[in-house]
Amino acid sequence: MARSDVKLIGAWASPFVMRARIALNIKSVGYEFLEETLGSKSQLLLESNPVHKKIPVMIHDGKAICESLVIVEYIDEVWSSGPTILPSDPYDRALARFWAAYLDEKWFPTMRSIATAKEEEAPKALIEQVGEGVMMLEDAFSRCSKGKGFFGGDQIGYLDIAFGSFLGRLRAIEKMNGVKLIDETKTPSLLKWATSFSSHPAVKDVLPETEKLVELAKVLAKFRAASSNS
């Protein structure tokens, strides 16, 4: 990997941090990973991202860049000699950004709510909503991939990173709730894509194992229960 003064503040389980890691790997950029401790925020994080105070933060040549998709675009522009991440066509680029915004603003918040749902029927309804979103992404894949293996065509692109970073969480939810949200019957294209994405050299070493995410979810659930009872 290319030598560069790059540091990434994050946590192994964060899908948003994963986006930056995958983008750096695609561009073959070496970086120092600064792992945050669960439940606390380092002084470096607070100083580097005083507005949102959250990960990921990439520090390049002493300058902080915040927000996962902003970081991905920055990486694509700065290390322009490597494989391109954003589509070159303006319409394709707009379409990728649209779906990435949908993921972050609507789809993922719904998925995240499954773990904190209080009513007995609430998780089931939320899982159904997540499944409906996956179905829409199956259709989006057909439009964006143009018959090729990734949303970005022949190689991993912007929307692959935006959606693929959630695959670990999605698989953990499937395992914990006994459901299948990506399968051969309803989402055959996404099933094939997910396999290719997960095994890609830029992804396989940073995508968390499903079992580890399940264990983390159990720990967080106990923590939330203890907090609510205190």
Side-chain angles (χ1 to χ4, degrees):
M1 285 197 167
R3 290 284 180 181
S4 184
D5 183 19
V6 177
K7 296 180 176 66
L8 183 64
I9 306 172
W12 66 270
S14 168
F16 300 102
V17 173
M18 205 176 310
R19 290 172 173 177
R21 300 186 78 178
I22 293 169
L24 288 166
N25 288 346
I26 287 172
K27 296 288 187 173
S28 296
V29 176
Y31 63 96
E32 180 183 358
F33 187 55
L34 304 175
E35 183 92 27
E36 288 287 298
T37 302
L38 182 66
S40 65
K41 298 183 180 184
S42 68
Q43 190 61 34
L44 180 60
L45 172 61
L46 297 175
E47 291 172 356
S48 302
N49 189 0
V51 177
H52 295 298
K53 301 179 177 63
K54 64 181 183 180
I55 54 175
V57 177
M58 188 177 80
I59 302 173
H60 179 218
D61 292 335
K63 300 174 183 176
I65 303 97
C66 307
E67 296 297 301
S68 65
L69 292 177
V70 174
I71 293 171
V72 170
E73 294 200 28
Y74 178 89
I75 291 168
D76 196 33
E77 291 177 9
V78 171
W79 290 279
S80 56
S81 59
T84 57
I85 294 174
L86 279 156
S88 57
D89 179 80
Y91 176 74
D92 291 343
R93 195 159 58 244
L95 193 61
R97 283 173 171 152
F98 168 82
W99 282 108
Y102 163 76
L103 286 165
D104 285 3
E105 295 169 11
K106 188 171 182 179
W107 187 79
F108 180 67
T110 301
M111 184 167 72
R112 186 172 51 193
S113 298
I114 293 170
T116 57
K118 290 184 172 30
E119 299 297 329
E120 190 172 335
E121 291 299 315
K124 183 178 178 181
L126 291 168
I127 289 169
E128 287 177 358
Q129 290 177 41
V130 170
E132 290 168 2
V134 172
M135 291 287 289
M136 288 195 289
L137 287 159
E138 170 82 3
D139 181 62
F141 181 82
S142 299
R143 296 171 61 191
C144 295
S145 67
K146 300 175 183 177
K148 297 180 179 178
F150 296 100
F151 282 96
D154 289 320
Q155 61 189 23
I156 286 178
Y158 185 75
L159 188 50
D160 294 285
I161 295 172
F163 183 34
S165 62
F166 294 126
L167 276 177
R169 291 282 189 96
L170 196 61
R171 288 166 178 162
I173 286 172
E174 288 179 329
K175 187 172 183 63
M176 294 176 74
N177 294 276
V179 297
K180 273 292 178 184
L181 296 168
I182 296 181
D183 63 24
E184 182 65 41
T185 304
K186 295 181 179 179
T187 56
S189 296
L190 282 184
L191 182 63
K192 186 177 179 181
W193 163 82
T195 301
S196 298
F197 179 85
S198 300
S199 60
H200 191 280
V203 177
K204 61 182 182 179
D205 291 334
V206 298
L207 189 67
E209 296 175 13
T210 303
E211 289 297 336
K212 288 185 177 180
L213 289 173
V214 169
E215 287 305 312
L216 178 61
K218 291 176 180 177
V219 169
L220 293 175
K222 289 180 181 178
F223 177 78
R224 283 192 296 268
S227 298
S228 63
N229 292 330
S230 61

